[in-house]
Amino acid sequence: DVKVTQSSRYLVKRTGEKVFLECVQDMDHENMFWYRQDPGLGLRLIYFSYDVKMKEKGDIPEGYSVSREKKERFSLILESASTNQTSMYLCASTLDRHASTGELFFGEGSRLTVL
Amino acid sequence: AQSVSQHNHHVILSEAASLELGCNYSYGGTVNLFWYVQYPGQHLQLLLKYFSGDPLVKGIKGFEAEFIKSKFSFNLRKPSVQWSDTAEYFCAVRGSYNQGGKLIFGQGTELSVKP
C-alpha cells in the first residue's frame, strides 16, 4: 500500500512564526501536492510538484512556499504564520502526470492552529 | 478554469434510506472524475473513479456513480446507507492532460446517518 506520511498531526504556532510541514511518500511517486481543507470550502490546492526541484502554484499559494529536494519528500513552508492560515493541511501524491489512474493518495493531515 | 460544485452541504438520513449526492463540474475537455470519502479522524480515501467507458461506475462499500456528460454531472448513489457511511464526501475532477495530475475538489458534503 502507498503510504503518505505527514510528520506532525497537530501543531500550535504563534503569529509570525515560521512553520514547516513535512510530507514523505514511499512509493516513488513523481507528483506531490499540498492542499488545505476548510469547512464549507473543501480542498484547495496550494502548491504541487511534478519533479524534484520543480514546483507549481496552485489556487491559493499566497503566504506559502514549498521545497522538494528529494523525490519522496515535499515540504510546505509558512514563512510568517498568520491566523487565517489556521487549517487542516493535506499532503498527497500520485504516480505521474500522465498516468491513467490519476488517483491521489493522501496523508492523514496536519492540523495547524495559529494563535 | 475548472471547478466542481457539490449541491448539498449536509445531508441527514436514517439507516436503509437511499442516498444521492450531487456533483457538477465545469471543464470543456475530457475529464477524469473521482469521489473521495473521509471518515471521522481518517485520511481521504478513494471511493470510485471514472476515466472512460461505462458511465456507471461501481466503487467500494456499495457506492456507485453515474457520469452524465451532457449534464456535466457525476452523482454518487447508494441504495441503502448504513450508520458506518457517516463521513464527508468529496467530488473531484481532473482534466485528462492537465499538468501535474492535480485534482480540483468540490466543497464537500457531510453525510450523517442516524441509526
Side-chain angles (χ1 to χ4, degrees):
Chain A
D1 280 352
V2 175
K3 193 163 179 63
V4 179
T5 304
Q6 296 183 230
S7 55
S8 305
R9 292 294 304 275
Y10 301 95
L11 303 95
V12 180
K13 298 292 182 181
R14 297 202 176 275
T15 301
E17 281 193 81
K18 191 169 186 175
V19 182
F20 291 88
L21 300 179
E22 303 284 339
C23 175
V24 177
Q25 49 91 6
D26 66 356
M27 282 302 291
D28 204 35
H29 283 176
E30 292 188 8
N31 298 351
M32 298 187 74
F33 308 82
W34 276 105
Y35 288 87
R36 63 177 282 178
Q37 181 181 5
D38 299 288
L41 297 178
L43 279 72
R44 294 178 291 166
L45 183 64
I46 305 171
Y47 266 97
F48 63 103
S49 166
Y50 51 87
D51 202 352
V52 175
K53 296 192 185 295
M54 301 297 289
K55 59 185 180 184
E56 293 286 339
K57 292 180 180 179
D59 298 318
I60 51 164
E62 297 77 19
Y64 304 94
S65 63
V66 290
S67 171
R68 190 150 180 219
E69 296 296 319
K70 294 184 178 181
K71 190 175 186 179
E72 68 271 17
R73 188 179 298 271
F74 192 36
S75 303
L76 181 69
I77 303 156
L78 288 67
E79 292 289 342
S80 177
S82 63
T83 54
N84 63 11
Q85 292 178 310
T86 291
S87 186
M88 172 70 87
Y89 291 89
L90 299 178
C91 177
S93 71
T94 191
L95 183 58
D96 70 78
R97 59 180 139 165
H98 301 304
S100 60
T101 62
E103 176 185 351
L104 263 62
F105 295 88
F106 283 87
E108 293 192 341
S110 299
R111 184 168 292 283
L112 172 66
T113 301
V114 183
L115 303 176
Chain B
Q2 300 173 53
S3 66
V4 179
S5 178
Q6 293 182 237
H7 311 305
N8 311 100
H9 181 60
H10 192 187
V11 173
I12 302 172
L13 296 173
S14 298
E15 276 194 315
S18 64
L19 170 72
E20 181 160 2
L21 301 183
C23 173
N24 285 92
Y25 66 93
S26 66
Y27 184 71
T30 304
V31 292
N32 304 147
L33 295 158
F34 304 81
W35 276 97
Y36 278 81
V37 61
Q38 187 175 35
Y39 297 104
Q42 296 188 25
H43 63 90
L44 269 85
Q45 54 188 286
L46 184 69
L47 261 185
L48 47 78
K49 59 190 177 186
Y50 171 80
F51 292 121
S52 63
D54 189 344
L56 184 63
V57 292
K58 296 191 183 298
I60 60 171
K61 304 187 181 186
F63 286 91
E64 65 179 31
E66 185 175 12
F67 171 51
I68 303 179
K69 189 175 181 180
S70 61
K71 295 185 178 181
F72 297 90
S73 70
F74 190 56
N75 292 353
L76 181 71
R77 300 195 292 247
K78 186 172 184 178
S80 176
V81 295
Q82 300 172 314
W83 177 78
S84 58
D85 293 324
T86 294
E88 190 158 18
Y89 294 81
F90 295 92
C91 182
V93 65
R94 172 178 176 259
S96 290
Y97 296 100
N98 78 1
Q99 187 177 47
K102 64 182 180 180
L103 295 187
I104 305 300
F105 284 84
Q107 305 93 322
T109 297
E110 187 177 344
L111 172 65
S112 300
V113 180
K114 298 185 291 185

